[in-house]
Amino acid sequence: MKKRTDQFYLVREDMLPDAMLKTVEAKKLLDSGKAYKINEVVQKVDLSRSAFYKYKDGIFPFHTMVKEKIITLSIHLEDQSGTLSKLLSMVAQTGANVLTINQTIPLQGRATITLTIETAAMNSDVTVLLNKIESMDSVVKVELIGSGA
């Protein structure tokens, strides 16, 4: 039976084999800059190079999979001075990181903003952000048009 690479499972840490746990530890050492070479990290965590290479692309701490989320919003705004600034300020207050902003030329008193943000550092849920944006006086409509990692 062919194993799928697009199927994921959430497994409790104590259920994982030592080699997988040591692989995670080795990756942490590499990411932190405490070690720069594979030979160095596998020796520090007492893991074979072959086991490290076997598991390195298949095991990640849960928080890294959840954190790296990117969403794209389409926001219809009334053409008023300072509206975009207020919108971006609100997004920044949630801890989200703005990646891209595209704005159409205002027609008939309205402009469309396409905003792509990284939600990894947000201090609230995405739905809270959407509700806050929707409640702004100058916002006509908000749509979540894409999400991914």
Side-chain angles (χ1 to χ4, degrees):
M1 180 163 105
K2 186 178 185 227
K3 294 187 179 181
R4 297 172 48 181
T5 58
D6 62 342
Q7 184 79 28
F8 297 91
Y9 299 93
L10 186 59
V11 180
R12 220 176 49 228
E13 181 179 10
D14 65 334
M15 301 298 292
L16 293 172
D18 282 342
M20 286 184 163
L21 294 171
K22 289 177 180 181
T23 300
V24 170
E25 192 61 35
K27 288 172 63 172
K28 283 181 190 175
L29 288 170
L30 288 170
D31 289 343
S32 71
K34 292 181 181 175
Y36 298 101
K37 296 181 179 181
I38 303 298
N39 280 341
E40 211 178 328
V41 294
V42 296
Q43 283 179 356
K44 281 186 179 186
V45 299
D46 190 31
L47 179 70
S48 71
R49 283 174 51 92
S50 61
F52 176 80
Y53 283 109
K54 178 179 181 179
Y55 296 122
K56 76 176 182 66
D57 294 327
I59 185 162
F60 306 92
F62 182 71
H63 67 89
T64 61
M65 299 303 286
V66 173
K67 282 179 85 169
E68 298 176 12
K69 189 154 188 173
I70 296 172
I71 63 171
T72 302
L73 305 173
S74 176
I75 305 164
H76 301 277
L77 295 175
E78 292 179 6
D79 184 27
Q80 298 172 358
S81 181
T83 300
L84 181 57
S85 176
K86 289 176 189 170
L87 171 68
L88 295 176
S89 177
M90 181 184 295
V91 170
Q93 287 172 1
T94 67
N97 182 33
V98 175
L99 301 175
T100 64
I101 305 168
N102 294 304
Q103 179 177 343
T104 62
I105 295 173
L107 297 173
Q108 299 176 346
R110 290 187 179 167
T112 300
I113 309 294
T114 304
L115 190 65
T116 302
I117 61 174
E118 182 180 23
T119 61
M122 280 183 59
N123 50 31
S124 63
D125 192 63
V126 172
T127 55
V128 173
L129 174 63
L130 293 174
N131 291 336
K132 283 183 178 181
I133 292 172
E134 243 172 9
S135 69
M136 291 177 65
D137 292 336
S138 54
V139 173
V140 177
K141 183 179 179 183
V142 181
E143 292 177 286
L144 177 64
I145 59 173
S147 67

